[in-house]
Amino acid sequence: MKKYFEENTGFGVLSTADKDGRVNAAVFARPHCFNDGTIGFVMPNNRLTYSNLQCNDYANYLFRQDPKEDRYRYNGMRLYLKKVNEEDDQERITKMLGRVYGDYLEGRRLLIFTIEKQVPLISNKS
């Protein structure tokens, strides 16, 4: 997973749902990939995505690769995720994000997920 996201740029959407099944979708950067196979997203703790993940551990990350040749070709993947941990270690988050200025990190959390299933972006096996 780490190699894939290092080699490909693109557009990502993280979808979550609240306890009643109301869905939210939000644009997210590529995930941070860890050596143990988990992935993580840094997010503010005052947004709907974060709130949904407090009551429902499941999410879906859709990633569309930037086209390398044919701009009408849709390559990428969908990751079915389960939240397994949450951190507020600001030093770790700062290192992961690189240089950040001002109060950008205020209220940011690192949410860590296992990948339960991975399928291509376009597939008849969802």
Side-chain angles (χ1 to χ4, degrees):
M1 197 60 47
K2 185 174 187 166
K3 183 178 179 186
Y4 175 83
F5 283 112
E6 286 174 349
E7 294 176 353
N8 293 285
T9 58
F11 185 84
V13 176
L14 184 65
S15 297
T16 59
D18 66 15
K19 64 181 174 58
D20 297 319
R22 288 184 295 265
V23 178
N24 176 60
V27 174
F28 268 78
R30 294 175 292 176
H32 300 276
C33 300
F34 304 112
N35 291 337
D36 65 358
T38 60
I39 64 171
F41 294 96
V42 174
M43 63 185 71
N45 65 6
N46 63 350
R47 301 284 164 77
L48 186 54
T49 297
Y50 179 81
S51 177
N52 285 351
L53 287 164
Q54 298 310 295
C55 61
N56 181 344
D57 290 337
Y58 294 91
N60 183 281
Y61 181 69
L62 177 149
F63 181 77
R64 181 186 182 246
Q65 278 177 230
D66 288 334
K68 290 182 172 59
E69 297 159 9
D70 182 356
R71 67 184 178 124
Y72 298 108
R73 188 173 184 131
Y74 295 105
N75 291 318
M77 67 175 70
R78 290 174 285 155
L79 301 176
Y80 293 79
L81 308 173
K82 181 178 182 185
K83 182 180 80 167
V84 293
N85 199 6
E86 182 175 331
E87 299 178 10
D88 65 356
D89 181 342
Q90 297 303 299
E91 187 174 320
R92 181 178 186 196
I93 292 171
T94 300
K95 285 180 185 176
M96 290 172 61
L97 295 178
R99 298 177 74 177
V100 179
Y101 298 100
D103 60 357
Y104 177 80
L105 288 177
E106 188 174 322
R108 300 273 166 176
R109 308 279 295 180
L110 169 63
L111 278 73
I112 300 171
F113 299 85
T114 57
I115 300 170
E116 296 200 322
K117 182 177 165 183
Q118 174 183 338
V119 296
L121 182 61
I122 305 296
S123 171
N124 58 2
K125 297 179 181 180
S126 296

